[in-house]
Amino acid sequence: MTYARLLATGSYLPERSLSNADLEKMVDTNDAWITARTGIKKRHIIAEGQGTVDLAENAARAALEAAGMEASELDLIVLATTTPDNPFPSTACLLQQRLGVHGFPAFDIQAVCSGFIYALSTADSFIRAGNAKKVLVVGAESLSRLVDWTDRGTCVLFGDGAGAVILEASEEPGILSTHLHADGRYYDHLAVNGQLSGGEVKDGAGYISMRGNEVFKFAVNNMSQAVLEALAKNDLNKEDIDWLVPHQANQRIINAVGKKLKLSADQVIMTVAEHGNTSAASVPLALDTGIRDGRIQRGQTLVLEAMGGGFTWGSAILVY
Ligand code: ACO
């Protein structure tokens, strides 16, 4: 049987960061409120002139270096983003050009904060079907460009960044299963409602709008369910999880999911304080952190989960 095995990871955060104290000067908020409600301490903001592809390239190069691989060995790029640099071409194609390679398929996936899980699942399917052997999967976002910096209800939450993984076809266990879901009935709970036409945003606003309380409840339930689904599919129990690598939206959401799964805090990779919610970049950023600081070890069982606008949500279970 062919598995998609996780070879290496990389990540990148833009240089400029915005602390809670910085936000206090912009909107009516304070560090105590943001910390207590979200656990976020700072978020990184893309520089003017930088694009999502710049973030993606830095993360991808870090992953390639960690894998000891050249980009020419890849045969697929799947890139998850909600904030492509252009309506087209895809950011995946821009990234392919940056990496100096061409010919093999490269495409974007848009599933907002679940984008990385969707991209990982897609790459896994390509590998299992024998249609790819070495795949670069990236989550990259410049969400700060969709944030209304006068709306204290949303501007404290989001930030920019990128994470990348390299998957390789292997006979050794890697990704055991992935589980994707969507429910478009909730399309308006978390959205950017504007439409692009004639070179301008029309019929709505170009900023994130969110029903925070409702999103919170759905996030806890849906992500916990997705983890249980992954365990059940593989005849595993909660005790078999070595690490939960959750979507980094809010410390309270992560804690609530961990509690439902009866995991101790030191089995959960938590990086949200450092970068806020980076949407599709959040899971690979956390994964890269856990692997590079040595907590996540080869042979351990990891569960990844995420939920985002759409709603979309999902999980992946893998042996590292
Ligand atoms: N600073 C200070 N006060 C604030 C701020 C702020 N930045 N934002 C809101 N408040 C106020 C509100 O106006 C309200 O005041 P009021 O009681 O006088 O009306 C009070 O704080 C409480 O507001 P709530 O919205 O009830 O606060 P809550 O505890 O629900 O926290 C939050 C809000 C953090 C947005 C929470 O609902 C949340 O995290 N939701 C999930 C959102 C999310 O993660 N979205 C990301 C995308 S989806 C995903 O990634 C899973």
Side-chain angles (χ1 to χ4, degrees):
M1 175 158 173
T2 303
Y3 291 95
R5 194 165 162 266
L6 181 56
L7 255 194
T9 59
S11 62
Y12 176 76
L13 290 167
E15 212 170 294
R16 184 179 156 224
S17 69
L18 204 58
S19 68
N20 292 348
D22 293 329
L23 283 174
E24 286 178 14
K25 295 177 201 135
M26 296 162 62
V27 288
D28 180 14
T29 191
N30 55 76
D31 175 53
W33 192 96
I34 301 171
T35 305
R37 303 289 175 124
T38 73
I40 299 167
K41 284 297 193 184
K42 63 178 179 180
R43 59 294 290 146
H44 292 253
I45 307 295
I46 193 167
E48 224 166 284
Q50 260 189 331
T52 298
V53 69
D54 293 292
L55 312 186
E57 183 184 357
N58 279 298
R61 288 195 184 281
L64 285 166
E65 193 186 338
M69 252 178 74
E70 299 293 329
S72 57
E73 295 174 54
L74 296 170
D75 51 16
L76 175 66
I77 295 176
V78 187
L79 188 146
T81 189
T82 314
T83 46
D85 291 323
N86 311 98
F88 69 85
S90 69
T91 308
C93 283
L94 300 181
L95 176 61
Q96 195 193 46
Q97 183 269 340
R98 287 287 185 87
L99 295 176
V101 288
H102 58 267
F104 60 80
F107 57 89
D108 285 2
I109 284 199
Q110 209 277 48
V112 204
C113 299
S114 314
F116 182 76
I117 303 290
Y118 269 65
L120 197 71
S121 178
T122 305
D124 179 46
S125 301
F126 268 78
I127 288 176
R128 278 176 191 264
N131 291 326
K133 285 201 158 50
K134 284 190 179 167
V135 185
L136 172 63
V137 185
V138 184
E141 299 278 18
S142 44
L143 226 60
S144 66
R145 290 183 174 146
L146 296 178
V147 167
D148 176 355
W149 291 102
T150 66
D151 174 14
R152 69 176 184 172
T154 54
C155 77
V156 301
L157 299 174
F158 299 101
D160 304 328
V165 306
I166 312 262
L167 299 177
E168 183 182 41
S170 169
E171 297 312 307
E172 279 179 58
I175 295 176
L176 302 178
S177 63
T178 61
H179 306 270
L180 303 182
H181 297 278
D183 191 339
R185 288 176 298 176
Y186 299 99
Y187 73 95
D188 60 348
H189 280 50
L190 181 57
V192 175
N193 285 307
Q195 290 166 9
L196 204 58
S197 167
E200 291 175 10
V201 175
K202 298 221 167 125
D203 303 325
Y207 296 119
I208 295 168
S209 71
M210 182 181 76
R211 297 197 205 169
N213 290 331
E214 289 161 73
V215 172
F216 192 102
K217 285 177 213 144
F218 274 100
V220 174
N221 285 331
N222 289 352
M223 289 191 281
S224 308
Q225 277 306 320
V227 172
L228 294 176
E229 185 184 6
L231 291 173
K233 168 84 182 172
N234 295 284
D235 292 324
L236 294 172
N237 302 309
K238 292 168 188 162
E239 296 71 39
D240 296 310
I241 302 176
D242 291 303
W243 292 102
L244 178 69
V245 187
H247 172 42
Q248 307 288 319
N250 180 322
Q251 188 178 297
R252 281 162 59 218
I253 294 177
I254 297 172
N255 286 341
V257 172
K259 206 171 154 198
K260 270 186 177 248
L261 298 169
K262 297 193 167 59
L263 295 173
S264 75
D266 56 11
Q267 287 177 279
V268 180
I269 305 289
M270 183 97 78
T271 56
V272 68
E274 297 302 309
H275 51 65
N277 184 346
T278 58
S279 186
S282 112
V283 170
L285 269 164
L287 185 59
D288 187 49
T289 301
I291 287 176
R292 282 179 190 255
D293 68 21
R295 277 178 289 171
I296 298 175
Q297 296 284 320
R298 284 279 172 207
Q300 290 185 325
T301 301
L302 322 184
V303 182
L304 285 43
E305 43 88 334
M307 138 119 190
F311 289 138
T312 58
W313 67 100
S315 64
I317 185 162
L318 61 99
V319 177
Y320 175 60

